[in-house]
Structure formats: C-alpha cells, structure tokens
C-alpha cells in the first residue's frame, strides 16, 4: 500500500488564465492505493457524496488507466469538489504519485503532470495542467503546452470557500471567445508583474499582478457576494483578490500577520450576501507528499 497527501491548488491567479498555479499548504486530499486486479474506488471526507466511485467517472480511474496500474484506491477528501481549489486535481495528482510508486513505474514528477491531467479531462473536458502541475511540483507554476516552470516562493494567502458549487465545465463556458487588444496588453503587464512578485516573494507585486479584465469579470458574476468580499479583503490589507481557479473560492494575497483579519472580513462579506463560507489561512506550499 502507498499513501499520498496531495494539496489543494489555486489556478489562474487572475492574469494567468490556464497558465499560472500555486500549491496551497492546506487543505489536502489523502489517497491510499493497493494493488488489485481491477480498479475500485472508495471516497470519504468533504463533499464525498457528490463524487462518483465509478472508475470511468472519477479522475483517479483515468489516472490508473493511463499508468496501466489497477488498484483499490481510497480517497479521503479534504478539498471540497467544485471549489475552485483544485479538488479533482488533488485526487488526480495524488493518485498519479501513489500508483507510480506502487507499480514502480519510475516516472519523475514532471512526467506525471500529463498523466494526472488525463484525470482533469474526465471532469472538465480538457486536460488542463494548471492545477495538477502545482499539486505535484509545489510552489508557483507556469504551464505552457509541453513545459512547466516552477518557482519556490514565500507568499501568504487566504482562500475563502462559499457554500456555492461552480463546476469548472460551467465556468469555462462564460469565458469570452475574443478580447480587446488593450485588455490583452493590460493582462500581459499584470502577469509579468505577478511573476516577478513570486520570484521575489513580494505580496504587493503578486497582488497588483492579479488584476485582469479578460476572464475574471464574467466569472465573478457566478459568485454571489464577490464584489463585497473583494472590497472587504482589500480594506483589511489584502494586496490583491481574485477568483480562485474556476471559482467559487475567492483568493486574497496579504502579509502573513494580516491573514486573520482578511479571512474574517471575507467571511463577513459572504455573510452580508447571505452565503455561508469557510476560510483557509494558508500559503504557497510544497507538492504532494509520498509516504
Ligand atoms: N476524485 C475526485 N475529486 C473531486 N472531484 C471529482 C473526483 N472525481 C470526479 N470528480 C468530479 O469533478 C467535479 C469537480 O471538479 P471541478 O474541476 O469542477 O472542481 P475543482 O477541482 O474543485 O475546481 P477547480 O479545478 O476550479 O479548482 C465534480 O463534478 C466531481 O464529482
Ligand atoms: N484554468 C482552469 C482551472 C480550473 O481550476 C480554469 O480556470 O478553467
């Protein structure tokens, strides 16, 4: 048997749609795998009632197929599904690392990124890697077609998860097909600023670099209370706020000692909109741990 703790992740960070991602040091899924003639799946934990155990429909089934590694797979969910915190990616990345070890396949973590992305294709229709890459590699990741660059960084974050479900599939439908060149230029400037901020572990630059006008405006409409939550976080010292992944979680960057105040303000913002929520005081963390 092999066990992996696979972290939540936040993709996009505003200006890096389908490119940027970060590993979060909490929450996380725990995946246990044992050799078996056919793949079977048990799911427990947060939101497990919404997660299929059919290997054709669960992301870990696609990963087991891709590695030709049938197994009994137990998933203890710490990352709620349809959260914008890379719930499906945590399971896919965890299963890839665990099955690779169980069957001694010998793949590197980098080689496991496209394998785990096969799982993402099961749920969102596309094998996007911007959540599985940080879940496997840790830190801040920049994903291009066949290449992922990683940077270690020390950035504190608050991820606020409302009791709303937004599926990645639905949130991809509202992304506009076309963009104004002025908005594209603005986004490139933000993405470059954010990248420098990650390299310098500078929350001001990272927060400033989250600003963009291409994807977030349409997606934030799917999150009841978003405008108030964003304003509340900025008023209490966050340096930047954006939609986490496809939403509905809202991600704020701030100094580590301000996380408590920012988290409380974001929860109040959702409460004012009549939405229950929970907040994770977290930071950019490492990739999945194999035990
Ligand atoms: N092992 C799994 N863990 C979580 N969700 C799974 C798993 N297998 C299948 N799913 C399905 O995937 C969907 C959740 O994935 P989705 O990409 O929409 O959310 P997410 O991973 O939290 O978000 P995001 O990618 O925006 O951070 C749900 O419909 C869920 O039933
Ligand atoms: N980049 C993907 C990530 C989903 O978590 C999206 O925003 O649709």
């Amino acid at each position: 048997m092999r066990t992996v703790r696979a972290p939540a992740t936040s993709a996009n960070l505003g200006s890096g749609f389908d490119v940027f991602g970060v590993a979060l040091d909490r929450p996380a899924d725990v995946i246990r795998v044992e050799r078996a003639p056919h793949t079977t799946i048990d799911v427990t934990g947060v939101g497990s009632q919404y997660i299929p155990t059919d290997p054709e429909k669960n992301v870990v089934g696609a990963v087991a197929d891709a590695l030709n590694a049938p197994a009994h797979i137990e998933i203890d969910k710490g990352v709620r599904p349809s959260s914008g915190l890379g719930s499906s990616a945590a399971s896919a990345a965890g299963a890839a690392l665990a099955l690779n070890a169980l069957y001694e396949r010998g793949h590197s973590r980098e080689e496991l990124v496209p394998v785990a992305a096969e799982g993402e294709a099961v749920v969102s229709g596309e094998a996007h890697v911007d959540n599985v890459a940080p879940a496997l590699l840790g830190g801040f990741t920049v994903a291009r077609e066949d290449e992922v660059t990683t940077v270690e960084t020390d950035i504190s974050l608050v991820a606020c998860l409302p009791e709303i479900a937004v599926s990645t599939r639905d949130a991809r439908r509202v992304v506009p097909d076309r963009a104004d060149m002025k908005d594209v230029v603005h986004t490139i400037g933000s993405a470059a600023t954010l990248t420098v901020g990650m390299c310098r572990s500078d929350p001001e630059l990272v927060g400033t670099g989250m600003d963009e006008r291409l994807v977030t405006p349409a997606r934030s409409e799917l999150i009841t209370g978003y405008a108030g939550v964003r304003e509340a976080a900025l008023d209490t010292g966050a340096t930047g706020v954006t939609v986490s992944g496809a939403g509905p979680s809202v991600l704020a960057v701030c100094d580590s000692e301000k996380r408590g105040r920012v988290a409380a303000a974001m929860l109040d913002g959702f409460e004012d909109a009549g939405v229950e929520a929970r907040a994770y005081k977290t930071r950019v963390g490492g990739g999945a741990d194999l035990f």
Side-chain angles (χ1 to χ4, degrees), residues 9-12 29 31 41 43 47 50-52 57-60 75 77 79-92 119-120 122-124 128 130-131 166-171 219 244-248:
T9 49
S10 182
N12 302 336
D29 282 6
I31 316 290
I41 300 167
V43 189
Y50 304 114
I51 300 179
K57 295 185 178 145
N58 194 303
V59 294
V60 302
I75 307 171
K77 294 298 298 178
V79 190
R80 200 203 76 185
S82 302
S83 60
L85 295 175
S87 178
S88 48
S91 290
E120 291 288 69
V122 170
V123 294
S124 71
H128 60 88
D130 50 347
N131 287 105
V166 174
S167 79
T168 301
R169 204 180 274 269
D170 290 345
R219 284 201 166 165
S244 178

Side-chain angles (χ1 to χ4, degrees), residues 20-21 34 37 50 64-65 70 72 77 85 96 123 141 145 151 156 163 169 188 194 198 224 243 251 262 268 283:
F20 291 165
E34 210 169 353
Y50 304 114
D65 271 358
H72 177 61
K77 294 298 298 178
L85 295 175
V123 294
T141 53
E145 276 98 49
V151 173
S156 295
E163 284 296 319
R169 204 180 274 269
I188 292 169
L194 187 146
M198 289 291 185
T224 309
V243 174
L251 187 75
V262 169
D268 286 348
R283 61 190 320 107

Side-chain angles (χ1 to χ4, degrees), residues 116-197:
E118 294 292 318
E120 291 288 69
V122 170
V123 294
S124 71
E126 287 173 56
H128 60 88
V129 304
D130 50 347
N131 287 105
V132 292
L136 281 162
L137 306 172
F140 168 61
T141 53
V142 177
R144 298 178 65 240
E145 276 98 49
D146 281 330
E147 194 184 3
V148 178
T149 308
T150 60
V151 173
E152 278 185 37
T153 187
D154 182 11
I155 290 288
S156 295
L157 301 163
V158 175
C160 194
L161 169 60
E163 284 296 319
I164 306 169
V166 174
S167 79
T168 301
R169 204 180 274 269
D170 290 345
R172 290 186 85 79
R173 286 200 193 108
V174 303
V175 175
D177 288 338
R178 293 175 182 279
D180 191 291
M181 184 53 86
K182 277 199 206 109
D183 292 339
V184 173
V185 171
H186 173 82
T187 299
I188 292 169
S190 287
T193 302
L194 187 146
T195 304
V196 173

Side-chain angles (χ1 to χ4, degrees), residues 215-241:
V215 177
T216 314
R219 284 201 166 165
S220 60
E221 299 280 317
L222 304 175
I223 306 170
T224 309
Y226 178 81
V229 170
R230 181 170 188 277
E231 201 180 318
L234 293 172
D235 284 350
T236 45
T239 56
V241 180

Side-chain angles (χ1 to χ4, degrees), residues 52-113:
T53 52
D54 177 351
E56 297 281 319
K57 295 185 178 145
N58 194 303
V59 294
V60 302
V63 172
D65 271 358
L67 286 171
N68 189 21
H72 177 61
I73 305 175
E74 293 173 17
I75 307 171
D76 186 5
K77 294 298 298 178
V79 190
R80 200 203 76 185
S82 302
S83 60
L85 295 175
S87 178
S88 48
S91 290
L97 195 61
L99 292 169
N100 182 55
L102 185 72
Y103 277 87
E104 298 176 356
R105 293 285 184 253
H107 297 300
S108 67
R109 285 178 183 246
E110 285 76 10
E111 287 166 348
L112 290 174
V113 169

